[in-house]
Amino acid sequence: PSRRFFVRGSAGALAAASATPLLPAGAALRPYPLASDVASELLDYDWSEGWPYDAQAFSRVDESADPLFYSDSRLVYHVDDQAVQSMKGFYEKVLTRVGGEPRALDVLDICASWVSFLPERTFLGDASVSCVVGVGLNRDELVANKQLTKFRVQDLNASPSLAWLQPESFDAAFCTVSVEYLTRPRAVFAEVARVLRPGAPFVVCFSDRLFFSKAVSLWTGRSDLDHVDAVAAYFHFAGAGGLFEPPMALRIDTAPRSGVDPVFVVFAARAGA
């Protein structure tokens, strides 16, 4: 059965009714931006007007406590199989670039769930081989994630601090198909910057599926390039600014046609290398 249906209602009803995030109405009919348009979107971007969003931009249809919505485990992929393979391939390229080859690295996965999309041959959940720390909202999902060597259940919207992690202790960080739910992204991105080593990448990956009632209002009803711009702003204005190098954007899915899930990444390196 198709997963492409629209979910509304209370957090409890949503959690009971659906295991996967869903497409906004009409999303399957709209044209996706070309890979070339995504790649050029952030070139020479003008940030001179300052932070572009007000508090209302981070309001949501469902403002109930996030742990309630995510209390039911969802042990399913949140995008289609082709998108999953695109993410895995890109993450492997990032980690190979960081380490010279897939090797023992310290990796942070924020908004983590039951999968982390890391190269299986290196990231096996064995701390003697690699360290992968997950931060998520559902304990059962985190326990099921065999690539994590450590995790903490934490609501980053309520408490974005990662003070339990040491500064400059990670070689890379990832946020996969969850950035649209962050209500305090500048604080979260600043904390990710704090725990990354200088030059380490932070990769934010998203598609066009979402739990509509929990996505922030600046995300719903906006174009894919608007989403790219938003995540780039999170990087640029994290903390007091200057924590990351200028962000870049790519469209990485391998089937750019209607009927498949597009995959976009916005990424930047921790400044100071």
Side-chain angles (χ1 to χ4, degrees), residues 182-249:
L182 293 178
T183 61
R184 301 165 69 182
R186 293 172 71 182
V188 172
F189 276 50
E191 278 295 282
V192 172
R194 184 184 65 81
V195 302
L196 284 176
R197 297 180 175 116
F202 179 23
V203 178
V204 177
C205 181
F206 55 91
S207 184
D208 63 352
R209 292 186 182 274
L210 75 165
F211 293 115
F212 182 88
S213 68
K214 279 298 185 181
V216 296
S217 64
L218 72 82
W219 202 272
T220 58
R222 301 292 185 92
S223 74
D224 298 308
L225 291 180
D226 288 334
H227 299 158
V228 168
D229 295 344
V231 178
Y234 299 170
F235 276 111
H236 186 80
F237 294 101
L243 296 178
F244 290 97
E245 299 295 338
M248 300 175 63

Side-chain angles (χ1 to χ4, degrees), residues 4-213:
R4 297 174 182 264
F5 56 93
F6 207 23
V7 174
R8 298 179 183 272
S10 69
L14 282 165
S18 175
T20 56
L22 312 157
L23 288 172
L29 304 178
R30 74 186 186 203
Y32 296 126
L34 298 175
S36 57
D37 293 331
V38 176
S40 63
E41 176 69 9
L42 301 179
L43 298 179
D44 301 317
Y45 202 93
D46 183 6
W47 299 106
S48 61
E49 295 186 3
W51 176 243
Y53 306 112
D54 59 18
Q56 185 62 30
F58 297 96
S59 65
R60 302 170 296 174
V61 172
D62 180 0
E63 292 286 8
S64 64
D66 290 331
L68 173 63
F69 182 85
Y70 294 100
S71 60
D72 286 353
S73 301
R74 298 175 172 91
L75 302 181
V76 295
Y77 287 124
H78 293 269
V79 289
D80 64 26
D81 291 341
Q82 292 180 357
V84 168
Q85 294 307 312
S86 295
M87 290 188 296
K88 286 184 175 181
F90 186 78
Y91 288 6
E92 181 164 6
K93 289 179 181 177
V94 169
L95 293 168
T96 299
R97 197 172 299 124
V98 170
E101 61 182 48
R103 62 167 179 82
L105 296 170
D106 298 308
V107 174
L108 175 64
D109 183 3
I110 69 165
C111 305
S113 65
W114 71 286
V115 288
S116 290
F117 305 102
L118 303 174
E120 287 89 351
R121 66 178 181 274
T122 306
F123 296 92
L124 304 173
D126 182 351
S128 67
V129 177
S130 60
C131 176
V132 183
V133 176
V135 182
L137 273 170
N138 184 286
R139 178 174 295 276
D140 291 340
E141 290 184 11
L142 297 172
V143 168
N145 188 328
K146 302 307 181 184
Q147 294 193 310
L148 299 181
T149 55
K150 179 180 180 181
F151 69 79
R152 175 170 289 197
V153 177
Q154 180 175 338
D155 180 356
L156 290 173
N157 287 337
S159 177
S161 172
L162 299 174
W164 52 281
L165 296 174
Q166 293 297 312
E168 299 186 7
S169 56
F170 289 94
D171 298 299
F174 296 90
C175 178
T176 305
V177 293
S178 295
V179 68
E180 60 268 32
Y181 308 118
L182 293 178
T183 61
R184 301 165 69 182
R186 293 172 71 182
V188 172
F189 276 50
E191 278 295 282
V192 172
R194 184 184 65 81
V195 302
L196 284 176
R197 297 180 175 116
F202 179 23
V203 178
V204 177
C205 181
F206 55 91
S207 184
D208 63 352
R209 292 186 182 274
L210 75 165
F211 293 115
F212 182 88
S213 68

Side-chain angles (χ1 to χ4, degrees), residues 240-257:
L243 296 178
F244 290 97
E245 299 295 338
M248 300 175 63
L250 294 172
R251 181 176 175 184
I252 63 169
D253 55 282
T254 57
R257 62 183 187 275

